[in-house]
Amino acid sequence: MTAMSFVFIPFTFIFNDVASIYVYLQIMLALLILWIIFKKKDPNGKCKLTQEEEAELISKWQPFPLVKPAPKSHRGYDKRVTEGKIGKYINVNGINCLNLSSHDFLGLNEEKIIESSAIESIRKYGIGSCGPRGFFGTVDVHLELEERLAKFMDLEEAVVYAYGFSTISSAIPAYAKRGDVIFVDEEVNFAIQKGLDASRSEIKYFKHNDMKDLEELLLKQAQLDSKNTKKAARTRRFLVIEGIYMKTGRLCNLPELVSLSKKYKLRIFVDESISFGTLGKNGKGVTEHFNIPVTDVDLIMTSLEMAAASVGGFCVGSSFIVEHQRLSGLGYCFSASLPPLLTTAAIKALDILENRHELIDELQNVCCTFHQYLLKSDIIMNCFTLIGDDISPIKHLRLRNNGNNVQDLGSIISKCEHMNLAITDTAYLDIEKKTPIPSIKLAINRLLTNDDLIRVINILEKAVC
Amino acid sequence: MTLNNISSNETAKNIKIKKRITNGIINEDKNGLSNCETAKSCPKPILNGTVPKNKKEGSSKVALFTAMKTYVKFHILMFLDYINQIFSRKVVPEKQRKLPTQNGTAHNVKVSKESFEQPALHTALMTYLGFYILMFLGYINQFFFAPKVAREKNREGYVPLYDNFEKFYLWYVYRRVRDCWNRPITSVPGAMVTVKERVTPDYGWTFVFTGREIPSLNLGSYNYLGFAESHSKCADDSIDTLHKYGWATCSSRHELGTNNLHVELEQLTARFLGVEAAITFGMGFATNSLNLPTLVSDGCLVMSDEKNHASLILGLRLSGALIRVFKHNNMKHLEKLLREAIVNGQPKTGKPWEKILIVVEGVYSMEGSIVKLPEVIALKKMYKAYLYVDEAHSIGALGPHGRGVVDYWGCDPQDIDVFMGTFTKSFGSAGGYIAGSKELIDHIRVHSHAACYASSMSPPVAQQIITSMKIIMGEDGTNEGINRIRQLKHNTRYFRKRLHQMGVIIYGNEDSPVVPLLVYLFSKIGGVVRGLAARKIATVGVGFPATPLMEGRIRFCLSAAHTKEQLDYALEQIDDIANELGLKYSQKPRCPRPIIYGSDDDLDATD
Ligand SMILES: Cc1ncc(COP(=O)(O)O)c(C=O)c1O
């Protein structure tokens, strides 16, 4: 009992009425003891089985097999193996192809300067960082990258993660918890979907880029809130969108989304994985593209595995928001930090972004030109619908579903491969929130010349005939 | 779980002691002093009884009320924890039991020499008392010191983003030991590591670099086999690969992100582990969290060890399966839960479970214990469950051939359904793998979230693993791999024995290269980490909430790269600090003989 009185000392500082708190705790203890006794004596029907009966049940139980037999043929079985460097060209299964499949939009994979600094980095830091950020995994290059990213985006702070997917799926549940409400575009990518699952918040999907639908949902929520103001005062509200949607290649309607968010007090989280380095005059992404103050969005989450041509990801925003992830971002705290060589590669990529704005211009030109070429080709348009905005470096070709024109995407892709063009259909799992429509995903690389683009169109035309 | 890695510090009582050892290291220790002065007579300006101006949230009464609420809430939690501790203290460590035999074939019985010594009762009491004082000081503190943190701008009328208690804990408790984590390094995390010195001008709110770089003995990185190197065969090979393959694939495995290095790495990994097939991913954390959902789902049951890593817990949560947690490495408890689960079936409906998956780790990174694999396998067979072993810390580091916990116990790899591990630790690289039967790996190839959506492994990173794995396997034609494994084992035994002899309490298995040294009191975590840092030894401390409140600890990670001389230096310094701070809690008899490095009397015949 002396132990107990030690424990309660601090209470006496707060409460004048020591006696009452003591009584309260005594009751709690009594209840606890009662509960323990009660629990033991509870005659639970099932627990009364004898040893033999239990043994019989156990021997009778047969589990399902751990895994169901996998399909005989699937893209997951490394059917298309590349070799060597990935850049404007890619070697797939021994065939040298023009590359319209990697997300290296700016063609930074071919930059010698990045390569040489990555090598220097290996000579200084080795390969792995051998520890999470908290435990001697913070290398000075991580701090440099974070600082540079924040400066590049004109924001206060950035955190770097070791993996693009985990950046996005860790950032969301660091803030959104059970009881919160998240409004989400129904076409968001899988990493966001997993983040939403982990948050356990209430998720409300609105139709893809449909502002009316979103506003309706918000109005409904406002009505709900007015009924229960106490609960509403505790319910955080978030809006999660993508700058350019991976699954459709369309830009979000940011101006409208921002004004709705201000009106209904939502915090906006934007996944800028594709738009970072590709949109806006300086490649700062969708906020720059729409000329919206970057502080109007609360958090920007980005993968470094696309335009920045490295590995990992980062979140950037005000310190108030971002710093929280250093203790609450699961993928940040509990995983080894990004290998220093890849961090250095990302820093160099940022150097290039900062010093050579023309790259972004060039990329946007190639994207728009190619978009026009696709639209102009009757053969392609007879067979496919083109999804995506003209400025987007990701374009989807969906098969038109009119009877005899239905072709197997796989055969088109392999035909293209034999004509030295590497393209890929979009990989999806069947557990996506909204069943995706199969499509060919074209990833545009800045290094493609006009001749290349015409060649791509020609090959595509030949492949679909 | 959100307040990871946090621990806390500074009871008024310990400040004197701590001041002695940290003298002149970091100005932080003034922090503690000023705090305790505040409680008596505060020389600081804001002491007029009102709430500081920065507290915008309404009147002082409201602020007081919310503060009190969070404080009381915390105490109730502490109280429950305390009760829990009192009950669990009575649990006697499980004795080695006879293994149930399968088809008459007895397992290779190796006795697990694992220890979790409990401290004397007064240490436990002191720990609680210390924590209460700490919380109380924090509580008082928040009325006098405005938190120097960023405030949210232009978001008036929004629902506050963070929870009050979380803020309180971060600002007034964790802040005091913030300097013990996230210390930046500027070199390879090898046997020695260069730590950037930083000081805090304002008691932990912010840090500035002094520009000095301190070479320290590295007892903090997970560099078990010493493959974190910048000038070695591994680094050379990786640089070659970087020339040939570049550094990023910019695509996922299901799209066009597979190159022949990945194929080679996967075949090699399977061969290394003695299983049919393997698949690799770019991050260890994601390997768990994005693949577990493909194995279990709603209607399945998972038996998860209470000390399992966050990535496993996240993966299991995402899977939708029901999670039952068994006591750490406690096979009796696991068996009891398994029996109950099969007998009772699914809750509510009583339907039989679809599958039962047991999820364990090889070496537990906070406890230093090694899973009792033969017993787990026996249970798994008896109850027809499946077994998932996360070998993040054990692959490379355990077993006479470095093949992990299976190798260590001499079990049959066929008995484990899912092997998982990371390349971050022993291989000095990054990424993770899953290995097992071809059927399993085919399933994962097709359904894995990471294979479909996340980008594939960077080529130089993959090359580092290939080269280091070949060295471990002896395929490079040298004895280097086996020498490293042996060196690590000798280092581990020696270091642990010496600590035992010193009289400090360390947790875990005698063969585990992760060595947690129990310091219990919060204040001592900060004291030891800073004290060792001043003596040029880099370590990490772990405290509440990453560990139970009672069990603040310092963690040493040994490496094959350490020499005996380096360990001797570390031991000498630890002994010094243990005397100064009173860390010699052990009540066990100490070995009177001097410990001889690499003495073979206790090494296995297999070695
Ligand atoms: C048991 C366990 N699993 C997985 C991981 C994550 O691995 P990585 O650091 O490669 O992401 C860790 C790392 O700390 C771990 O300890």
Side-chain angles (χ1 to χ4, degrees):
Chain A
M1 245 16 236
T2 45
M4 293 288 173
S5 58
F6 269 119
V7 174
F8 300 138
I9 279 178
F11 282 99
T12 59
F13 286 93
I14 325 168
F15 299 98
N16 303 329
D17 194 353
V18 184
S20 81
I21 192 76
Y22 193 66
V23 168
Y24 165 70
L25 283 163
Q26 289 253 313
I27 291 171
M28 249 180 65
L29 245 175
L31 281 177
L32 194 78
I33 292 162
L34 272 178
W35 179 70
I36 290 166
I37 298 165
F38 184 67
K39 195 179 116 198
K40 288 236 163 110
K41 290 202 173 161
D42 185 2
N44 188 334
K46 281 177 194 163
C47 292
K48 269 196 163 174
L49 297 174
T50 60
Q51 288 277 328
E52 291 78 49
E53 281 169 316
E54 272 190 29
E56 198 195 326
L57 266 175
I58 289 167
S59 69
K60 265 209 250 155
W61 179 67
Q62 278 305 330
F64 288 19
L66 180 60
V67 292
K68 294 195 192 94
K72 285 269 175 319
S73 141
H74 190 273
R75 64 189 313 156
Y77 300 147
D78 297 341
K79 281 199 287 201
R80 302 177 82 197
V81 179
T82 70
E83 208 193 323
K85 254 200 170 147
I86 289 160
K88 180 175 167 184
Y89 296 96
I90 185 171
N91 187 314
V92 187
N93 293 341
I95 305 171
N96 201 22
C97 299
L98 200 60
N99 184 5
L100 264 81
S101 59
S102 310
H103 299 144
D104 169 27
F105 308 125
L106 289 174
L108 298 185
N109 256 336
E110 305 214 343
E111 293 289 338
K112 280 276 173 260
I113 190 167
I114 302 185
E115 186 175 311
S116 56
S117 50
I119 290 170
E120 269 169 41
S121 183
I122 294 181
R123 286 295 182 214
K124 183 160 183 213
Y125 305 105
I127 303 281
S129 60
C130 285
R133 289 291 294 266
F135 301 164
F136 299 101
T138 303
V139 181
D140 50 1
V141 285
H142 291 124
L143 299 179
E144 184 185 344
L145 178 61
E146 284 174 354
E147 211 169 282
R148 291 282 306 278
L149 283 168
K151 217 169 105 209
F152 178 73
M153 296 298 292
D154 296 321
L155 283 163
E156 290 168 13
E157 192 163 344
V159 285
V160 169
Y161 282 73
Y163 212 35
F165 191 107
S166 297
T167 311
I168 287 136
S169 63
S170 297
I172 297 169
Y175 304 95
K177 306 276 182 230
R178 200 189 284 278
D180 298 340
V181 182
I182 313 182
F183 297 89
V184 188
D185 190 295
E186 60 180 3
E187 292 284 5
V188 290
N189 64 40
F190 197 73
I192 295 182
Q193 292 172 35
K194 287 295 116 182
L196 298 175
D197 283 355
S199 75
R200 300 175 172 201
S201 308
E202 194 182 336
I203 314 294
K204 306 210 162 158
Y205 287 99
F206 58 91
K207 292 207 187 83
H208 184 44
N209 264 346
D210 185 340
M211 296 302 110
K212 281 231 181 68
D213 197 36
L214 172 60
E215 181 140 30
E216 264 168 42
L217 285 179
L218 289 169
L219 279 172
K220 254 190 234 156
Q221 181 68 30
Q223 272 172 5
L224 269 181
D225 287 349
S226 64
K227 273 187 211 140
N228 190 348
T229 47
K230 236 183 168 174
K231 185 166 169 244
R234 275 183 281 121
T235 313
R236 283 169 285 228
R237 267 146 273 182
F238 299 93
L239 173 67
V240 179
I241 48 170
E242 284 180 68
I244 294 178
Y245 287 87
M246 186 56 143
K247 282 159 76 174
T248 62
R250 289 194 184 114
L251 266 69
C252 65
N253 185 349
L254 194 65
E256 195 109 344
L257 288 164
V258 166
S259 75
L260 280 177
S261 298
K262 283 191 175 154
K263 188 162 161 206
Y264 292 95
K265 308 226 181 304
L266 310 174
R267 292 174 201 274
I268 317 186
F269 289 7
V270 195
D271 177 350
E272 293 228 47
S273 293
I274 302 176
S275 48
F276 175 77
T278 61
L279 280 191
K281 200 168 121 281
N282 301 305
K284 293 185 188 178
V286 70
T287 46
E288 193 184 34
H289 177 81
F290 286 111
N291 234 332
I292 284 180
V294 61
T295 46
D296 276 2
V297 300
D298 291 86
L299 185 72
I300 293 174
M301 314 173 282
T302 301
S303 158
L304 287 167
E305 290 154 9
M306 305 209 178
S310 182
V311 175
F314 68 94
C315 290
V316 59
S318 65
S319 289
F320 175 80
I321 297 219
V322 171
E323 200 184 357
H324 183 66
Q325 286 182 47
R326 296 195 194 272
L327 290 166
S328 305
L330 289 183
Y332 179 90
C333 298
F334 293 102
S335 178
S337 56
L338 183 63
L341 85 112
L342 296 167
T343 317
T344 312
I347 293 176
K348 288 290 152 196
L350 202 57
D351 275 346
I352 293 173
L353 269 182
E354 277 177 351
N355 299 327
R356 289 162 59 192
H357 307 296
E358 69 276 7
L359 299 194
I360 295 143
D361 246 10
E362 282 170 34
L363 172 66
Q364 289 173 359
N365 279 340
V366 177
C367 291
C368 293
T369 316
F370 188 60
H371 202 88
Q372 292 312 315
Y373 286 173
L374 281 171
L375 287 178
K376 269 192 234 146
S377 160
D378 291 338
I379 302 174
I380 297 175
M381 285 303 117
N382 271 341
C383 185
F384 291 109
T385 30
L386 172 61
I387 312 284
D389 282 327
D390 55 359
I391 199 171
S392 156
I394 290 276
K395 304 187 188 301
H396 288 269
L397 290 174
R398 282 185 195 158
L399 282 172
R400 282 183 195 278
N401 253 355
N402 42 5
N404 47 14
N405 250 350
V406 178
Q407 292 186 37
D408 182 20
L409 288 180
S411 84
I412 296 178
I413 290 166
S414 82
K415 273 190 209 162
C416 289
E417 190 175 300
H418 287 291
M419 290 184 274
N420 301 71
L421 171 66
I423 51 175
T424 169
D425 51 335
T426 327
Y428 291 121
L429 293 177
D430 48 15
I431 50 170
E432 285 261 4
K433 166 73 191 142
K434 181 168 178 267
T435 317
I437 303 162
S439 65
I440 287 178
K441 183 167 77 183
L442 300 171
I444 315 298
N445 191 318
R446 169 187 67 92
L447 299 169
L448 297 170
T449 61
N450 198 38
D451 290 349
D452 292 328
L453 295 183
I454 291 168
R455 217 180 105 211
V456 172
I457 298 288
N458 285 338
I459 295 173
L460 275 175
E461 282 176 349
K462 267 189 224 152
V464 296
C465 298
Chain B
M1 194 159 49
T2 50
L3 299 168
N4 140 63
N5 299 352
I6 294 172
S7 83
S8 189
N9 160 10
E10 263 46 61
T11 64
K13 252 198 107 178
N14 283 295
I15 283 152
K16 246 191 283 160
I17 316 169
K18 207 205 67 199
K19 215 190 125 198
R20 239 191 301 144
I21 70 131
T22 51
N23 234 342
I25 310 161
I26 307 182
N27 346 8
E28 210 99 2
D29 67 347
K30 284 188 221 133
N31 167 24
L33 274 179
S34 77
N35 284 333
C36 78
E37 276 160 15
T38 326
K40 292 175 219 137
S41 62
C42 181
K44 293 271 150 61
I46 340 160
L47 223 184
N48 43 14
T50 54
V51 183
K53 284 180 223 84
N54 67 299
K55 288 244 162 213
K56 278 187 196 151
E57 303 139 19
S59 68
S60 63
K61 254 190 195 161
V62 175
L64 188 70
F65 183 68
T66 47
M68 211 136 89
K69 241 176 41 189
T70 54
Y71 189 61
V72 170
K73 194 165 118 195
F74 190 78
H75 277 273
I76 290 172
L77 280 177
M78 288 303 97
F79 175 68
L80 293 179
D81 188 61
Y82 181 79
I83 300 272
N84 189 9
Q85 290 282 341
I86 290 187
F87 280 110
S88 56
R89 279 176 70 81
K90 300 218 176 79
V91 180
V92 223
E94 209 189 352
K95 293 258 159 56
Q96 189 75 19
R97 290 178 305 144
K98 261 207 205 116
L99 294 172
T101 49
Q102 284 278 323
N103 316 329
T105 53
H107 283 275
N108 168 11
V109 183
K110 181 169 186 172
V111 180
S112 164
K113 285 199 201 157
E114 211 153 276
S115 121
F116 287 92
E117 190 184 343
Q118 294 289 332
L121 187 67
H122 73 265
T123 314
L125 292 181
M126 283 306 296
T127 310
Y128 277 91
L129 183 61
F131 194 70
Y132 275 98
I133 295 175
L134 186 75
M135 290 298 291
F136 185 68
L137 286 180
Y139 168 74
I140 299 277
N141 237 276
Q142 65 176 340
F143 294 106
F144 299 117
F145 298 104
K148 264 209 205 166
V149 289
R151 301 261 154 201
E152 194 163 33
K153 295 173 206 107
N154 304 322
R155 294 289 185 277
E156 279 94 30
Y158 284 60
V159 180
L161 197 53
Y162 307 124
D163 178 54
N164 271 331
F165 173 66
E166 221 172 297
K167 275 194 291 194
F168 166 74
Y169 192 83
L170 279 184
W171 294 347
Y172 295 100
V173 183
Y174 168 66
R175 187 199 84 235
R176 303 181 178 193
V177 280
R178 249 184 94 194
D179 61 300
C180 296
W181 289 272
N182 299 304
R183 286 165 46 212
I185 62 171
T186 63
S187 71
V188 185
M192 297 293 289
V193 64
T194 311
V195 183
K196 261 182 118 163
E197 190 183 54
R198 43 172 207 187
V199 292
T200 166
D202 48 9
Y203 313 128
W205 293 114
T206 57
F207 293 101
V208 287
F209 292 110
T210 61
R212 282 212 303 155
E213 297 190 344
I214 306 172
S216 307
L217 178 60
N218 186 1
L219 291 174
S221 297
Y222 306 130
N223 176 26
Y224 299 125
L225 288 182
F227 280 111
E229 296 162 322
S230 56
H231 290 82
S232 63
K233 182 159 174 13
C234 292
D236 295 345
D237 284 4
S238 296
I239 288 174
D240 280 349
T241 301
L242 208 144
H243 281 302
K244 268 189 226 137
Y245 288 83
W247 53 95
T249 57
C250 297
S251 188
S252 75
R253 290 298 295 272
H254 279 192
E255 289 178 355
L256 263 177
T258 305
N259 63 33
N260 43 4
L261 284 177
H262 298 133
V263 179
E264 183 188 349
L265 174 61
E266 283 166 5
Q267 286 166 354
L268 186 69
T269 307
R271 200 145 48 81
F272 180 60
L273 294 167
V275 294
E276 286 172 13
I279 177 168
T280 58
F281 305 93
M283 181 203 206
F285 184 93
T287 309
N288 276 331
S289 62
L290 302 181
N291 288 310
L292 273 167
T294 66
L295 297 175
V296 283
S297 58
D298 209 9
C300 300
L301 175 70
V302 177
M303 295 289 173
S304 167
D305 191 290
E306 68 176 332
K307 303 290 182 188
N308 272 348
H309 191 253
S311 57
L312 291 165
I313 297 166
L314 176 64
L316 294 175
R317 255 213 278 160
L318 289 175
S319 74
L322 191 83
I323 308 170
R324 279 276 142 78
V325 177
F326 63 92
K327 293 208 185 88
H328 176 54
N329 229 350
N330 187 326
M331 294 304 126
K332 264 199 195 125
H333 193 212
L334 172 60
E335 176 161 18
K336 180 166 159 272
L337 288 183
L338 277 169
R339 279 191 91 88
E340 269 175 22
I342 298 175
V343 170
N344 293 336
Q346 295 187 30
K348 288 191 194 130
T349 61
K351 273 198 297 191
W353 295 100
E354 288 179 9
K355 330 172 205 180
I356 299 180
L357 182 69
I358 303 173
V359 179
V360 291
E361 286 181 31
V363 168
Y364 289 85
S365 61
M366 294 295 167
E367 312 300 309
S369 46
I370 297 177
V371 64
K372 295 174 186 155
L373 194 64
E375 292 179 58
V376 178
I377 290 177
L379 284 180
K380 157 214 139 107
K381 285 186 175 163
M382 197 144 76
Y383 294 97
K384 302 180 210 108
Y386 299 106
L387 178 57
Y388 184 106
V389 184
D390 179 337
E391 296 228 55
H393 292 266
S394 56
I395 191 69
L398 281 192
H401 311 94
R403 293 178 191 193
V405 74
V406 178
D407 194 20
Y408 177 77
W409 289 106
C411 296
D412 181 357
Q414 305 304 321
D415 286 339
I416 287 156
D417 299 282
V418 191
F419 284 88
M420 180 272 164
T422 73
F423 298 122
T424 322
K425 281 110 200 175
S426 296
F427 302 91
S429 188
Y433 64 82
I434 288 198
S437 66
K438 181 157 184 318
E439 199 186 10
L440 170 83
I441 301 305
D442 281 352
H443 172 86
I444 295 201
R445 276 186 199 288
V446 171
H447 296 287
S448 164
H449 305 175
C452 185
Y453 297 102
S455 82
S456 58
M457 194 185 274
S458 153
V461 168
Q463 184 62 52
Q464 162 86 10
I465 306 162
I466 293 175
T467 312
S468 56
M469 198 181 276
K470 281 186 177 163
I471 293 176
I472 298 173
M473 292 166 86
E475 291 191 0
D476 63 332
T478 67
N479 288 335
E480 197 190 326
I482 215 77
N483 288 345
R484 285 182 192 239
I485 292 164
R486 208 166 275 163
Q487 174 89 12
L488 177 64
K489 182 161 183 176
H490 289 184
N491 284 354
T492 303
R493 289 262 173 112
Y494 178 69
F495 194 75
R496 280 184 163 267
K497 276 192 181 164
R498 285 280 308 268
L499 286 177
H500 262 307
Q501 193 179 38
M502 218 179 266
V504 294
I505 295 186
I506 53 175
Y507 272 5
N509 193 296
E510 61 171 2
D511 284 323
S512 145
V514 181
V515 188
L517 164 78
L518 273 282
V519 299
Y520 301 103
L521 279 151
F522 265 67
S523 47
K524 292 190 182 178
I525 299 175
V528 176
V529 171
R530 287 174 200 148
L532 286 173
R535 293 160 152 90
K536 305 202 171 160
I537 298 174
T539 53
V540 290
V542 197
F544 179 79
T547 67
L549 174 60
M550 257 286 294
E551 300 178 5
R553 62 194 69 176
I554 304 295
R555 192 181 58 174
F556 304 112
C557 292
L558 299 173
S559 162
H562 293 137
T563 60
K564 174 176 181 287
E565 289 67 39
Q566 286 174 325
L567 295 184
D568 280 339
Y569 172 76
L571 286 161
E572 208 177 288
Q573 303 303 328
I574 293 165
D575 191 35
D576 216 25
I577 288 191
N579 281 333
E580 255 182 286
L581 290 182
L583 301 180
K584 300 190 169 173
Y585 293 113
S586 179
Q587 294 157 316
K588 280 188 182 172
R590 301 174 195 179
C591 174
R593 283 169 287 126
I595 311 285
I596 298 160
Y597 182 85
S599 63
D600 281 329
D601 53 349
D602 57 2
L603 296 183
D604 302 324
T606 48
D607 190 44

